[in-house]
């Protein structure tokens, strides 16, 4: 379930980043926009009319807008009217091609009314003017509204194709161009005024907005987002990627414990290769394995640690040592081998102690009782040394049989006349029984 939500978050974030408007000239090109630019090298004209740039992200908002000029050369509106300056046909041949052209006058002026839904911040203007008699453009001035965008001195003029950037971004609904002074002409073959498409910014409109809210249109000059930055980015224009080890909105969250020390996704925090050993993926690899489990995806179960404590969540090693009877390089998942016992199976209990030590101890215990309770049990016509020799031979025989059978119960292996007689309680009311004689007879 957690992976589902992470995947959904990634999908939503991807939509937010690709929410910029597409102005490619075909549906096929828009289907892969903006990961693939509309215009390719050698094939630049794949934008809708009036749109420019590799992603068709820059609009000429002057195209075919209403405009006027203070006079018209020869009163020939068809060849020199103000509207020719925004007809979409670019040229610098003012002699042979139609261009907006005033008569000779004082302070000739041309104005375009942008009529945009909201006042635009204007910074980039491109002019196509006459390529001959260029001195007629000396001292040209450009205004946005009533604010000066750019001007040339009285002895300077713009080149035939002039990319002009206002000295500062200006907001307005009209752009006007004039030549100050007496007996001046103004010639404009084409005027283009560029603003960025929603979702793009900068002078060339070549940087994509990275706003937290996909409906938030960033400032088309600075890139600032009123809703904040898209997860994985920060900074005033939201173009700075989060430092390694951080992610999310304003890079405020820290990455979890990723496998092989990988850097988490800076938008979602997901680890590309999963979690490091000892961590759970349900919480972006920030939650440790539950007690009793360890390793990748917490899929391995801890062994048998002393005092029942949980193992190390990364490698499964018990923090102190294995519980008695278990070993395996610290993970404590194998039982002691035959002939060993104790914590980490480090103690040697002799031959096969783990299988026949209990019955031997029982018999020796009975022997001890027989020795110290001489007032109750009477052992006659033998010496103690002979009794011990015969009993040890009997135990050796018992051990051999138990080795062959690997495991038998105490009751099954002690059912001989000699050993049963040692368990029999004999007091003053019990008939006399000669244990040593019986041992001698059995042998």
């Amino acid at each position: 379930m957690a992976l589902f939500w992470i995947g959904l978050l990634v999908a939503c974030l991807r939509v937010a980043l690709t929410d910029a408007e597409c102005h490619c000239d075909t549906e096929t090109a828009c289907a892969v926009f903006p990961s693939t630019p509309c215009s390719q090298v050698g094939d630049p004209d794949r934008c809708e009319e009036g749109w420019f740039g590799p992603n068709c992200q820059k609009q000429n908002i002057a195209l075919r807008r209403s405009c006027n000029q203070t006079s018209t050369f020869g009163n020939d509106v068809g060849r020199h009217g103000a509207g020719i300056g925004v007809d979409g046909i670019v040229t610098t041949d003012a002699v042979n091609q139609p261009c907006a052209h005033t008569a000779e006058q004082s302070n000739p002026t041309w104005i375009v009314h942008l009529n945009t839904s909201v006042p635009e911040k204007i910074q980039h203007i491109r002019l196509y003017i006459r390529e001959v008699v260029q001195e007629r453009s000396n001292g040209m001035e450009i205004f946005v509204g009533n604010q000066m965008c750019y001007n040339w001195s009285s002895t300077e003029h713009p080149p035939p194709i002039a990319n002009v950037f206002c000295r500062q971004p200006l907001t307005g609904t009209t752009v006007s161009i004039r030549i100050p002074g007496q007996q001046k002409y103004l010639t404009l073959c084409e005027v283009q005024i560029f603003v960025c498409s929603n979702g793009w910014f900068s002078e060339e409109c070549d940087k994509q907005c990275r706003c937290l809210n996909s409906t938030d249109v960033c400032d088309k000059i600075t890139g600032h987002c009123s809703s904040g930055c898209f997860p994985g980015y920060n900074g005033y224009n939201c173009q700075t990627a989060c430092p390694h080890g951080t992610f999310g909105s304003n890079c405020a969250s820290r990455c979890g414990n990723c496998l092989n020390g990988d850097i988490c996704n800076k938008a979602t925090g997901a680890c590309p290769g999963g979690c490091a050993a000892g961590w759970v993926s349900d919480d972006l690899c920030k939650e440790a394995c539950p007690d009793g489990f360890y390793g990748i995806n917490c899929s391995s179960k801890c062994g048998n640690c002393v005092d029942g404590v949980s193992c190390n969540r990364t490698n499964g090693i018990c923090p102190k040592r294995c519980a008695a009877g278990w070993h395996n390089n610290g993970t404590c998942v194998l039982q002691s081998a035959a002939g060993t016992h104790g914590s980490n199976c480090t103690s040697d209990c002799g031959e096969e102690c783990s299988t026949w030590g209990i019955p031997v101890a029982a018999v020796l215990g009975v022997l001890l009782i027989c020795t110290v309770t001489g007032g109750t049990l009477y052992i006659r016509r033998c010496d103690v040394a002979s009794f011990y020799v015969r009993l040890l031979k009997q135990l050796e025989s018992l051990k051999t049989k138990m080795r062959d059978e690997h495991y038998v119960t105490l009751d099954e292996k002690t059912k001989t006349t000699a050993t049963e007689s040692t368990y029999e309680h004999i007091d003053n009311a019990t008939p006399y029984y000669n244990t040593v004689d019986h041992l001698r007879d059995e042998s």
Side-chain angles (χ1 to χ4, degrees), residues 327-408:
H327 73 102
N328 188 24
N329 296 329
T331 56
C332 306
V333 295
L334 295 180
Q335 285 185 302
S336 301
T340 62
H341 70 93
S343 179
N344 294 319
C345 309
T346 56
S347 300
D348 186 353
C349 57
E351 295 186 56
E352 305 290 338
C353 71
S354 61
T355 56
W356 60 269
I358 293 176
V360 169
V363 174
L364 291 177
V366 173
L367 178 59
L368 178 60
I369 293 172
C370 293
T371 304
V372 300
T373 58
T376 303
L377 177 62
Y378 297 94
I379 303 175
R380 299 187 305 172
R381 295 189 303 273
C382 69
D383 56 29
V384 175
S386 177
F387 174 81
Y388 276 107
V389 170
R390 292 179 181 276
L391 183 57
L392 289 175
K393 288 182 178 180
Q394 189 71 24
L395 292 176
E396 183 65 22
S397 175
L398 175 62
K399 182 181 71 173
T400 301
K401 293 172 70 177
M402 294 182 72
R403 182 185 298 115
D404 294 337
E405 295 176 14
H406 298 292
Y407 178 84
V408 292

Side-chain angles (χ1 to χ4, degrees), residues 195-389:
V195 297
C196 300
S197 171
N198 290 346
W200 301 85
F201 76 99
S202 81
E203 286 185 352
E204 293 294 338
C205 304
D206 56 355
K207 293 182 173 61
Q208 193 171 357
C209 298
R210 298 186 182 275
C211 299
L212 177 62
N213 189 337
S214 63
T215 61
D216 182 10
V217 177
C218 77
D219 186 287
K220 295 181 180 181
I221 302 299
T222 66
H224 180 69
C225 298
S226 60
S227 63
C229 296
F230 182 80
Y233 294 88
N234 63 1
Y236 184 78
N237 61 7
C238 300
Q239 297 298 297
T240 304
C242 290
H244 288 341
T246 64
F247 74 96
S249 181
N250 295 318
C251 309
S253 301
R254 295 202 63 82
C255 292
N257 300 271
C258 298
L259 184 65
N260 298 324
D262 288 343
I263 302 301
C264 75
N265 182 289
K266 295 183 178 182
T268 66
C271 290
C275 300
W279 299 92
V280 181
S281 60
D282 290 350
D283 188 31
L284 299 178
C285 305
K286 293 183 178 181
E287 181 181 349
C289 291
D291 286 347
F293 294 89
Y294 73 96
I296 301 297
N297 297 322
C298 304
S299 58
S300 300
K301 192 173 182 179
C302 289
N304 300 272
C305 301
V306 70
D307 298 329
V309 298
S310 185
C311 68
N312 182 289
R313 290 178 171 89
T314 300
N315 53 34
I317 294 177
C318 290
K320 293 182 179 179
R321 58 185 183 277
C322 297
W326 299 89
H327 73 102
N328 188 24
N329 296 329
T331 56
C332 306
V333 295
L334 295 180
Q335 285 185 302
S336 301
T340 62
H341 70 93
S343 179
N344 294 319
C345 309
T346 56
S347 300
D348 186 353
C349 57
E351 295 186 56
E352 305 290 338
C353 71
S354 61
T355 56
W356 60 269
I358 293 176
V360 169
V363 174
L364 291 177
V366 173
L367 178 59
L368 178 60
I369 293 172
C370 293
T371 304
V372 300
T373 58
T376 303
L377 177 62
Y378 297 94
I379 303 175
R380 299 187 305 172
R381 295 189 303 273
C382 69
D383 56 29
V384 175
S386 177
F387 174 81
Y388 276 107
V389 170

Side-chain angles (χ1 to χ4, degrees), residues 62-76:
L63 180 66
R64 299 192 181 91
R65 297 295 185 181
S66 172
C67 53
N68 58 275
Q69 59 192 16
T70 52
S71 64
T72 301
F73 185 78
N75 292 321
D76 188 350

Side-chain angles (χ1 to χ4, degrees), residues 22 24 26-36:
C22 178
C24 306
T26 66
E27 291 184 2
T28 301
C30 281
V32 293
F33 171 87
S35 58
T36 300

